[in-house]
Amino acid sequence: MTRFKSMFCGAIGIAAVILAGCQAPADSGGAAPGATASKSGKKFKVGISIPAADHGWTAGIKYWATEATKQNPDIEWTIQDAKEPGEQISQLENFQTQGVDALVILATESAPLTPIAKKLHDAGILIVNVDRGFTEPVADVFIEGDNKAFGRKSAEFIVQKLGGKGKIAVMEGIPCTVNTDRVNAAKAVFAAYPGIQIVAQGSGNWNRQKAEQVMQNMLISSPQIDAVWAADDDMALGVETALKAAGRDKNIWILGGGGMKDVVKRMIDKDPMFPGNITYPPQMIAFGIQTAAGMLRAGKDNAKKYVPRHVMIDVSLITPDNAKEFYFPDSIY
């Protein structure tokens, strides 16, 4: 796990390294001297609230959350996942009852989770929000991928590959700030090219089976589709299944997103169905966990002076030419 620790502990400068929870060697007791618990000697308690692993990217979130907690054994961690907003809200309320000092939250959906996040923050709990942002700035730290760049780079790739002219289908994700930023940024690019027509649009909820069903309906209503922007690799694979079942998997291609190893491998193999991809690392949850740990150790009120409230992680375009740089066969995702 040395590479894991160095990746997150060396990325944002010396002050953030200290606050991000990078620990001392094991023989020092597992954490920085004098910084393993509150002044009362109570062991810090942190809840991690994430969506259920219903597709590859969220499975990666669960994996990296578990790995990050192992790097901070001086803190009492509890990881809970939820299938829908109501379940997640109930879990967060229970975390408050348990007396947690901090919460790392990746919302199932943005809007329904905002009121409870605000309530918990107002109650004095440190809130680190990862990926799907709240609709109000209630988190102490918000860590996200650059979703506007995700949408813009996706659309630019599609326009370029189609030569500025073609009919496309757009597969959206779960309603949240991530999806909104991606779709709005992409549409801004498409709007500059009158030859690009969005002939079908629907939500696959970042789920393979749901995307397959939605794509089936799109194929019925749209006799011609040149490319599909799926914006997520699980949805992209669902789209592919629908295309093959309908016998329309020729002369069409899909742009997903997330950098799933199976899709990246197909790019390496020059599969025409997947000519491009956009990175979106699930490791960002580990960054959030390290940030929460470090802020508690430093004293959360003091730490807020040094930790940026908003951290944005860049995304990269993957093509067959550079796909080997983004292929990690041993990865969970």
Side-chain angles (χ1 to χ4, degrees):
M1 296 302 294
T2 302
R3 181 181 178 188
F4 165 79
K5 286 192 285 187
S6 64
M7 176 169 57
F8 289 100
C9 296
I12 54 174
I14 295 175
V17 166
I18 294 171
L19 296 177
C22 303
Q23 291 184 258
D27 60 5
S28 70
T36 60
S38 65
K39 292 181 180 179
S40 66
K42 177 179 71 74
K43 193 173 186 179
F44 287 123
K45 296 172 65 175
V46 180
I48 302 170
S49 178
I50 58 178
D54 60 356
H55 68 292
W57 194 83
T58 47
I61 287 291
K62 182 69 173 288
Y63 172 82
W64 283 107
T66 302
E67 291 300 306
T69 60
K70 294 176 183 177
Q71 303 305 305
N72 299 276
D74 59 305
I75 292 175
E76 182 181 332
W77 301 96
T78 303
I79 301 174
Q80 292 190 346
D81 56 45
K83 294 181 180 179
E84 47 83 29
E87 182 182 10
Q88 190 171 25
I89 290 168
S90 178
Q91 290 173 353
L92 289 170
E93 290 173 338
N94 287 336
F95 274 132
Q96 182 181 19
T97 301
Q98 294 165 19
V100 296
D101 300 288
L103 287 164
V104 180
I105 303 172
L106 199 164
T108 48
E109 294 183 24
S110 295
L113 269 295
T114 299
I116 183 64
K118 186 176 188 304
K119 174 186 174 183
L120 297 174
H121 183 266
D122 291 346
I125 298 173
L126 177 72
I127 304 292
V128 177
N129 179 206
V130 179
D131 183 46
R132 302 174 195 173
F134 303 125
T135 55
E136 298 178 32
V138 299
D140 294 289
V141 181
F142 176 34
I143 299 167
E144 64 171 334
D146 190 342
N147 287 289
K148 292 179 181 179
F150 188 110
R152 174 176 53 79
K153 291 181 181 182
S154 296
E156 289 171 348
F157 178 85
I158 291 169
V159 169
Q160 182 179 25
K161 186 163 178 63
L162 289 175
K165 184 177 181 181
K167 296 182 178 182
I168 65 173
V170 173
M171 189 72 68
E172 296 194 40
I174 290 172
C176 63
T177 57
V178 171
N179 182 71
T180 299
D181 284 349
R182 290 181 182 181
V183 173
N184 287 349
K187 283 187 172 182
V189 173
F190 293 142
Y193 295 87
I196 298 293
Q197 301 178 51
I198 298 176
V199 296
Q201 186 169 345
S203 176
N205 287 344
W206 292 324
N207 178 274
R208 190 177 304 193
Q209 288 73 32
K210 177 65 174 178
E212 180 183 351
Q213 295 168 4
V214 173
M215 192 68 217
Q216 289 171 350
N217 293 331
M218 289 180 174
L219 292 172
I220 294 171
S221 62
S222 305
Q224 181 184 343
I225 297 175
D226 300 304
V228 180
W229 180 41
D232 172 85
D233 287 334
D234 279 282
M235 291 200 299
L237 293 174
V239 167
E240 181 188 31
T241 300
L243 292 174
K244 287 183 175 180
R248 290 178 61 178
D249 55 322
K250 308 299 181 186
N251 301 316
I252 190 171
W253 50 271
I254 308 165
L255 179 67
M260 179 190 288
K261 64 180 180 181
D262 295 341
V263 173
V264 175
K265 179 60 166 62
R266 291 177 65 174
M267 294 173 62
I268 293 173
D269 295 338
K270 303 295 193 296
D271 187 333
M273 184 66 76
F274 295 99
N277 205 275
I278 306 290
T279 61
Y280 202 74
Q283 292 95 320
M284 67 177 70
I285 191 69
F287 188 11
I289 290 168
Q290 292 286 66
T291 299
M295 291 182 72
L296 288 176
R297 293 190 185 108
K300 63 181 181 181
D301 292 330
N302 180 60
K304 290 176 187 178
K305 302 175 185 176
Y306 307 100
V307 176
R309 186 164 184 176
H310 186 190
V311 178
M312 187 171 287
I313 300 169
D314 195 16
V315 298
S316 301
L317 174 66
I318 309 175
T319 67
D321 292 336
N322 67 359
K324 289 183 179 179
E325 300 174 23
F326 299 93
Y327 181 56
F328 304 101
D330 296 330
S331 170
I332 190 72
Y333 174 67

